[in-house]
Amino acid sequence: MGLLAERQARAAGLKPIEGDPGLPLLRKNHQLFLGTWMTDMSYYERFGEVTYIRALGIDVILATGPDAAASVLVNKEKAFANEPAWSFFIGPFFEGGLMLMDFGEHHRNRHIMQSAFTRDRLTAYLESMTPTIVDLVHGWGDTQQLEFYPAVKNLGLSIAVQTFMGDELGPDSDRVMRAFHDCIQAGTAVVRRPLPGNKWSRGLAGRRYLVDYLRPRVAAARANPGDDLLSALCQVEGENGERFTDDDVVAHMIFLIMAAHDTSTGTMAQMVYHLAKHPEWQDRCRKESEALGKDTIGYDDLNELPALDLVMKESLRLVSPLPVMARESVRDTELLGHFVPAGTKVVVTTQMNHSLPSVWSEPTAFDPERFAEGRREDQQHRFAFMPFGGGVHKCIGLYFGGMEITAVLHRMLLEYDWSVPADYEMPVSWKALPYPSDGLPITVSRR
């Protein structure tokens, strides 16, 4: 990481960090643009758990393996911060979101927001989203050949708008989806300033559109609150009576809708793909759904579909919805005996951690039983399996996401059989959050 960092490491009695900065000028920007660095195990194999690459004009430390993840995410010494790291990548598009906060500010906002994810509220959200799930999933059978990912993206956004705002998506659906897509994609832009038509410019325009879309809805929720998440955020109070401002609510809603519908729909696409490739698991999951004896599930039914839960966990492992987690060192510190200078971006490589042969048997194989009692490969280390992050920044909506996914797949299993050709392998785009780049075409038939 340079002579200065090496001298500082030796002066502190720590190891300097080795890595591969890439070719001059080009560096690793091409890997960033393609997203291949998120799955490239060669850095770990060559340099170990702590290494670095150079892209976008900065050094980025890669923290790979459960011990490295634990050190960064538990953050006992408060040496690593979210805001400066995520702000570098996505700050202009998701500013004010919970993921871009640290320490006291994060604690206060998370504490208030937690009131919107209690059991009673989750139960109400599930009841609210169920009619949308039933209606849109039923419509998928109108064509035998279904491009699943766009269909489930529309469903996910419809659920988010209905459940989070008590609203119908309506004619704005394509523009809202495009705005979120542009915000997310802008985080990997190589040119990080607005130029006509570039990623950064589209991301900024997407953010402005979402702010304008949400402001009147916040005002309506203040005046006439309902049971949706937006109303909850407008009403919830902290221990000392503190409440969110309108700007706070808008910022949190933009981040929550993005996190809820992008990660959940990506996970559902993975599950549908694997259930198509492994019909024995599709049959097993369907039998459990049929045995439940309910067309739709309630909150108390969520633990009654164990096979589907195994498939969900294995899908989250094989393609992590958040492949990396970014932090920045706020002072000189150490990571597994390596010197980390202040102001350095540190990335926990979730996707690589879920692919380590030292943790997972046959890590590239689809094997949901690895999560079953008697094996529990995920329990070898607290941070062996971490699709929802860890530490104080662990995903606040993980139960909401699991509830939504289970409800959709349960309905789909009861209504359809689906398949893909035997030789089909789903291509995954890693340019930002992972998704099937071909839309995941499946053949569906009503039962």
Side-chain angles (χ1 to χ4, degrees):
M1 291 182 63
L3 291 175
L4 177 60
E6 186 172 340
R7 292 194 194 103
Q8 290 174 311
R10 299 196 188 288
L14 299 168
K15 294 178 285 187
I17 298 174
E18 297 182 273
D20 181 3
L23 297 172
L25 298 181
L26 184 62
R27 298 305 185 184
K28 294 297 181 179
N29 289 332
H30 65 296
Q31 284 195 304
L32 181 76
F33 177 75
L34 296 173
T36 54
W37 69 281
M38 296 187 192
T39 59
D40 188 348
M41 297 291 290
S42 66
Y43 304 111
Y44 173 78
E45 292 162 355
R46 289 167 62 193
F47 302 110
E49 296 169 291
V50 183
T51 182
Y52 83 96
I53 61 174
R54 186 166 183 81
L56 302 178
I58 61 171
D59 291 329
V60 179
I61 293 174
L62 305 182
T64 304
D67 290 335
S71 181
V72 175
L73 299 181
V74 174
N75 198 19
K76 288 182 179 179
E77 305 300 323
K78 292 184 170 57
F80 301 105
N82 267 40
E83 189 278 329
W86 283 118
S87 288
F88 177 80
F89 294 105
I90 61 171
F93 321 108
F94 295 103
E95 62 178 318
L98 195 62
M99 194 168 74
L100 280 75
M101 295 180 178
D102 288 296
F103 311 124
E105 181 187 31
H106 173 263
H107 176 76
R108 288 190 298 274
N109 277 265
R110 187 181 178 99
H111 183 76
I112 299 172
M113 194 179 295
Q114 195 69 57
S115 301
F117 290 95
T118 62
R119 178 188 174 92
D120 287 345
R121 289 195 182 273
L122 288 172
T123 301
Y125 300 154
L126 181 57
E127 291 174 357
S128 173
M129 73 174 68
T130 294
T132 301
I133 292 171
V134 171
D135 182 49
L136 293 186
V137 170
H138 182 75
W140 292 346
D142 292 341
T143 174
Q144 189 180 22
Q145 299 298 321
L146 175 69
E147 198 169 340
F148 181 75
Y149 186 64
V152 80
K153 280 280 285 184
N154 181 66
L155 171 61
L157 190 56
S158 296
I159 290 172
V161 171
Q162 168 64 38
T163 308
F164 287 10
M165 293 186 283
D167 200 358
E168 298 295 332
L169 195 54
D172 297 321
S173 60
D174 289 343
R175 186 66 187 88
V176 173
M177 278 195 284
R178 173 53 57 184
F180 279 112
H181 176 82
D182 288 345
C183 287
I184 293 166
Q185 293 294 316
T188 59
V190 175
V191 179
R192 305 182 75 76
R193 61 191 181 93
L195 296 174
N198 75 344
K199 274 188 178 183
W200 201 260
S201 180
R202 291 195 299 271
L204 292 173
R207 168 75 184 202
R208 289 193 297 271
Y209 176 85
L210 292 171
V211 170
D212 291 342
Y213 177 81
L214 283 164
R215 280 201 177 279
R217 288 163 172 79
V218 171
R222 294 271 194 210
N224 187 24
D227 293 327
D228 51 87
L229 178 61
L230 176 58
S231 295
L233 292 180
C234 289
Q235 298 173 64
V236 292
E237 296 184 357
E239 293 176 345
N240 300 315
E242 63 270 35
R243 301 180 70 176
F244 290 137
T245 67
D246 285 2
D247 287 343
D248 292 335
V249 174
V250 168
H252 284 312
M253 286 297 296
I254 289 174
F255 179 76
L256 285 171
I257 293 174
M258 179 280 294
H261 97 273
D262 253 60
T263 56
S264 295
T265 54
T267 301
M268 283 188 271
Q270 292 297 321
M271 293 174 70
V272 164
Y273 166 64
H274 290 299
L275 290 173
K277 288 285 285 186
H278 302 275
E280 71 280 8
W281 274 96
Q282 188 177 150
D283 291 343
R284 178 173 167 180
C285 291
R286 181 174 292 110
K287 287 176 181 175
E288 285 188 353
S289 285
E290 290 173 341
L292 191 62
K294 297 181 178 180
D295 290 341
T296 59
I297 61 173
Y299 191 83
D300 291 334
D301 302 319
L302 292 172
N303 294 323
E304 301 302 315
L305 303 172
L308 192 61
D309 184 62
L310 295 178
V311 171
M312 187 190 308
K313 288 175 178 173
E314 180 68 337
S315 298
L316 288 165
R317 184 192 70 83
L318 286 166
V319 176
S320 300
L322 189 63
V324 296
M325 287 172 276
R327 301 290 189 271
E328 183 173 307
S329 53
V330 294
R331 62 173 182 273
D332 290 351
T333 187
E334 65 89 26
L335 177 57
L336 301 189
H338 295 80
F339 177 73
V340 178
T344 305
K345 303 294 185 294
V346 180
V347 167
V348 176
T349 59
T350 311
Q351 181 63 34
M352 289 191 229
N353 286 4
H354 290 173
S355 305
L356 293 174
S358 58
V359 177
W360 309 97
S361 60
E362 298 185 70
T364 60
F366 175 75
D367 181 11
E369 291 287 357
R370 72 175 78 245
F371 290 95
E373 295 303 325
R375 285 182 63 182
R376 293 307 303 265
E377 293 181 9
D378 58 306
Q379 290 191 346
Q380 295 180 67
H381 191 289
R382 180 183 172 191
F383 284 88
F385 182 60
M386 49 177 193
F388 305 105
V392 297
H393 283 278
K394 192 170 185 177
C395 176
I396 197 170
L398 68 94
Y399 295 112
F400 178 94
M403 178 178 74
E404 175 188 354
I405 291 166
T406 302
V408 172
L409 266 293
H410 171 70
R411 186 65 227 152
M412 194 172 174
L413 285 161
L414 293 178
E415 194 153 356
Y416 301 110
D417 293 290
W418 66 91
S419 62
V420 294
D423 62 349
Y424 172 76
E425 299 291 334
M426 185 180 71
V428 177
S429 171
W430 295 96
K431 291 183 179 180
L433 298 182
Y435 67 93
S437 57
D438 66 348
L440 181 54
I442 61 173
T443 300
V444 296
S445 59
R446 293 195 191 275
R447 294 184 58 76

